[in-house]
């Protein structure tokens, strides 16, 4: 991944609503959710939600599938993992003990942090 693409992805997620929607879709991977379920779970009016879902889809972070008259939205998990990898791939290069100290001091779950 290049910094330009990473920057565009972060720009897409810069809205609190879009970030909440994306996290909800990640939570519901791999099956995703239809728009009505997203709207209900996040208490977002359908008109506002469609604007944010369109932005997420255009940014490549959400995939859309038609299911009869409904649209199912799924998080683009491979792209999310690529973005995480981009952020962490050079963490503490050559100093695994430094990475361990950061993991210990972080509130993030240990299983998701880079290994030294």
């Amino acid at each position: 991944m290049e910094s330009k693409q990473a920057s565009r992805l972060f720009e897409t997620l810069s809205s609190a609503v879009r970030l909440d929607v994306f996290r909800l879709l990640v939570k519901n991977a791999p099956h995703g959710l239809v728009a009505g379920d997203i709207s209900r779970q996040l208490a977002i009016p359908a008109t506002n939600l469609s604007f944010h879902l369109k932005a997420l889809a255009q940014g490549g972070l959400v995939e859309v599938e038609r299911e009869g008259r409904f649209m199912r939205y799924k998080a683009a998990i491979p792209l999310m993992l690529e973005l995480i990898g981009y952020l962490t791939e050079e963490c503490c290069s050559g100093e695994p003990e430094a990475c361990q100290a950061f993991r210990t001091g972080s509130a993030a779950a240990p299983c998701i942090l880079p290994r030294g």
Side-chain angles (χ1 to χ4, degrees):
M1 176 172 291
E2 295 180 8
S3 62
K4 208 174 214 179
Q5 182 184 15
S7 177
R8 282 193 300 268
L9 294 173
F10 284 118
E11 186 177 332
T12 300
L13 291 171
S14 68
S15 157
V17 172
R18 287 194 290 272
L19 187 56
D20 288 346
V21 169
F22 185 73
R23 287 177 48 101
L24 181 64
L25 292 174
V26 168
K27 180 180 178 182
N28 286 277
H31 305 294
L33 294 167
V34 295
D37 290 339
I38 298 168
S39 178
R40 278 187 293 283
Q41 289 188 40
L42 296 177
I44 301 170
T47 52
N48 290 2
L49 180 61
S50 65
F51 169 79
H52 292 292
L53 287 170
K54 182 179 178 181
L56 287 164
Q58 287 177 337
L61 287 164
V62 168
E63 299 162 357
V64 187
E65 295 176 2
R66 179 169 290 285
E67 272 185 14
R69 59 181 204 163
F70 299 102
M71 301 299 276
R72 180 167 295 274
Y73 295 87
K74 298 179 179 184
I77 301 295
L79 183 58
M80 178 192 74
L81 295 173
E82 189 177 337
L83 181 60
I84 293 168
Y86 171 78
L87 290 173
T88 61
E89 68 190 355
E90 295 186 35
C91 182
C92 303
S93 288
E95 294 185 47
E97 60 282 349
C99 243
Q100 179 60 44
F102 290 130
R103 285 199 305 273
T104 303
S106 171
C111 62
I112 64 166
L113 297 169
R115 303 216 183 276

